Amino acid sequence: MPQTTPTPALVIFDCDGVLVDSETISNQALVDNLARYGLNLDLAGSMSLFVGSTMTGVMDKARNLGADLHDGWIDEVYQETYAALENGVDLIPGIPELLQTLDRAGIPTCVASNGSEHKMQITLGQNGLWQRFHHAMFSAHALGMSKPDPGLFLAAASHFNVQARDCLVIEDSPTGALAAARAGMRCLGYAAITPAETLSDQGAEVIRDMSDVARLIGL
């Protein structure tokens, strides 16, 4: 449900693929891991299947596709993914400028992610954003609810004492866009990797560059 005025009272960022360019790295680690368990995917296939999923969801999907995964697999793939991310993750282009614009306008920001706080500490910490966000971070691992459940976004709105209709979510996955729709929040869907139609099908307004955001919210 789009808000009645374009300028939000709170901007909620997803982390992977929105703040940091981590999706390709994480999915390549996943591809390499799953190949050892009998499931051969290319990078595009992995991203189509798994972007926006929790790791439990990834495990279930991979098993259904034939991967012979042991019960401790999630811990294993996390370790491999974190090691890959520690080698270096860039910010999404335009994010520093967007954050500066929001700061100048006095609009608070936070992060809501299906990823763990440990993962965000690795990725955001490399880029100077951990200090900015770690007091305003809503992780599925910590809160026990994950997108497409709207709970992460609603928890963020409640924390800032902002109505859902006055929030803006920036997402890159259909799972996140659906969670925003269920929360009654406006969503901009960043279509750098995810096909635009899969975002718009869940009610997101598609953007292809973070420089589009300021104009769309009246700044």
Side-chain angles (χ1 to χ4, degrees):
M1 180 188 303
Q3 56 190 73
T4 55
T5 57
T7 304
L10 173 67
V11 176
I12 306 172
F13 290 92
D14 180 41
C15 185
D16 296 302
V18 171
L19 290 172
V20 287
D21 193 9
S22 51
E23 294 285 18
T24 300
I25 296 169
S26 296
N27 275 269
Q28 187 59 58
L30 186 58
V31 166
D32 295 343
N33 178 283
L34 289 175
R36 303 200 303 269
Y37 294 99
L39 179 58
N40 294 303
L41 298 170
D42 60 17
L43 180 60
S46 176
M47 296 183 78
S48 176
L49 284 167
F50 302 132
V51 166
S53 298
T54 64
M55 200 57 75
T56 299
V58 170
M59 186 176 188
D60 291 342
K61 288 180 185 179
R63 280 177 165 170
N64 288 337
L65 291 169
D68 183 18
L69 304 181
H70 58 86
D71 289 342
W73 176 81
I74 289 178
D75 289 338
E76 174 188 299
V77 77
Y78 270 138
Q79 289 178 6
E80 294 177 10
T81 301
Y82 294 165
L85 292 170
E86 285 169 349
N87 288 329
V89 180
D90 294 329
L91 288 176
I92 293 293
I95 282 295
E97 295 81 3
L98 175 56
L99 292 175
Q100 290 171 8
T101 297
L102 295 171
D103 287 347
R104 286 194 298 269
I107 298 172
T109 59
C110 66
V111 178
S113 173
N114 276 354
S116 69
E117 287 194 9
H118 184 196
K119 182 180 181 183
M120 288 187 275
Q121 187 171 13
I122 293 169
T123 58
L124 299 178
Q126 296 177 37
N127 292 287
L129 293 185
W130 175 254
Q131 285 301 112
R132 177 192 179 100
F133 284 117
H134 80 280
H135 293 303
M137 185 173 290
F138 302 87
S139 164
H141 290 225
L143 296 182
M145 48 191 168
S146 57
K147 308 166 196 175
D149 187 303
L152 285 181
F153 294 147
L154 293 173
S158 177
H159 177 83
F160 285 91
N161 197 28
V162 172
Q163 295 293 314
R165 64 178 179 271
D166 295 324
C167 296
L168 174 74
V169 172
I170 304 181
E171 269 287 351
D172 73 321
S173 74
T175 304
L178 177 57
R182 288 175 172 175
M185 297 178 180
R186 183 185 183 188
C187 180
L188 300 183
Y190 181 56
I193 294 174
T194 304
E197 61 271 18
T198 66
L199 295 168
S200 60
D201 285 349
Q202 301 301 336
E205 303 166 52
V206 173
I207 60 171
R208 299 183 185 278
D209 195 298
M210 288 298 170
S211 64
D212 296 335
V213 175
R215 172 180 55 81
L216 290 171
I217 62 175
L219 297 181

